[in-house]
Amino acid sequence: MKTRNLILAVLSVFVLSSCSAELIAPAERTATKSILETEYNALNVTSVNSEMVSLPAITLSEAENILKSLRSHKNAKEDLQVNTHDEGEAHIWDLLMKQTIDYKYSFSIELHITSYDDGSLFYNGYNAGCTLDKILWKVGGFSFESDKNSPDDFKFKSTSDIFIKIAANNGKFEFYKVPVAITGTYQPKKQSSNYTYTL
């Protein structure tokens, strides 16, 4: 009888500890997920494409470190290259702005501008890229308009997203989308341009 009671008591302890582990694990995962959601407005993405699937899986702490570094613009260095050529009366300018963060994460935006001798200027699209293979950076196009405070200059802005693939504990993956706002200026007379982003 004592042996039977002892066995039942031991089984009860195992069942209770197993149940409590099951109850705690989802709460821990929710708390962990909320770090990206609350700090960086990240959204959990359920519909993924081949580009997202091919991302290397990283840990949550690695994702946090990358986003933290990007947000702080730590050790930021900016480069601008302006490539010009003429096509008849049109002057074609390709403005390549590159920003390197923490000596390793480089984001580049190239704006294509057409200018005419009468002073008119047209925006003809963009290219954007990132050298960090652990994330996918998708830019949603740029708005380009004259600066009301400085009519000879122009402002541009865009919304974009950083996609991250997180290795989950169960051997599966979770995908997150972090919104990134881009703003910049372009001064044709000085042929200078710059941009910044916030996340």
Side-chain angles (χ1 to χ4, degrees):
M1 186 73 170
K2 287 182 181 178
T3 305
R4 189 177 128 219
N5 288 342
L6 180 62
I7 290 171
L8 286 175
V10 170
L11 285 174
S12 302
V13 169
F14 280 127
V15 169
L16 287 174
S17 63
S18 150
C19 288
S20 62
E22 286 177 13
L23 291 173
I24 291 170
E28 285 174 351
R29 284 197 294 272
T30 303
T32 306
K33 285 181 186 178
S34 68
I35 293 170
L36 290 183
E37 293 168 353
T38 58
E39 291 295 317
Y40 300 98
N41 297 316
L43 296 174
N44 192 286
V45 178
T46 53
S47 176
V48 297
N49 59 31
S50 58
E51 281 185 296
M52 293 161 64
V53 170
S54 64
L55 282 170
I58 59 177
T59 64
L60 192 60
S61 62
E62 190 175 2
E64 282 184 83
N65 288 335
I66 290 170
L67 295 174
K68 190 177 192 180
S69 184
L70 296 179
R71 175 180 275 177
S72 68
H73 286 72
K74 183 180 172 188
N75 299 314
K77 179 187 173 191
E78 293 184 16
D79 294 307
L80 171 66
Q81 294 176 13
V82 181
N83 299 314
T84 63
H85 66 275
D86 292 337
E87 291 181 4
E89 295 180 2
H91 311 288
I92 311 300
W93 298 334
D94 295 322
L95 311 169
L96 178 59
M97 298 163 283
K98 186 176 178 184
Q99 202 172 100
T100 304
I101 308 298
D102 205 16
Y103 307 108
K104 53 188 171 184
Y105 310 136
S106 291
F107 293 84
S108 60
I109 297 172
E110 184 175 33
L111 299 180
H112 307 294
I113 310 289
T114 303
S115 162
Y116 292 92
D117 291 335
D118 64 2
S120 58
L121 189 134
F122 297 93
Y123 163 62
N124 295 320
Y126 73 96
N127 297 99
C130 173
T131 59
L132 182 59
D133 63 355
K134 294 179 179 178
I135 66 173
L136 174 64
W137 185 41
K138 286 286 191 181
V139 178
F142 286 90
S143 67
F144 194 81
E145 61 187 6
S146 60
D147 189 339
K148 293 174 185 174
N149 299 321
S150 180
D152 290 336
D153 301 333
F154 294 84
K155 297 188 300 184
F156 58 89
K157 62 182 178 179
S158 178
T159 56
S160 68
D161 295 296
I162 288 175
F163 293 90
I164 303 172
K165 180 180 181 180
I166 303 290
N169 294 332
N170 55 8
K172 296 182 179 178
F173 306 108
E174 294 178 343
F175 295 88
Y176 284 93
K177 177 172 77 170
V178 180
V180 181
I182 304 167
T183 56
T185 59
Y186 170 53
Q187 298 174 300
K189 289 184 177 177
K190 296 180 181 177
Q191 280 294 2
S192 70
S193 185
N194 64 69
Y195 80 93
T196 189
Y197 59 85
T198 53
L199 67 154

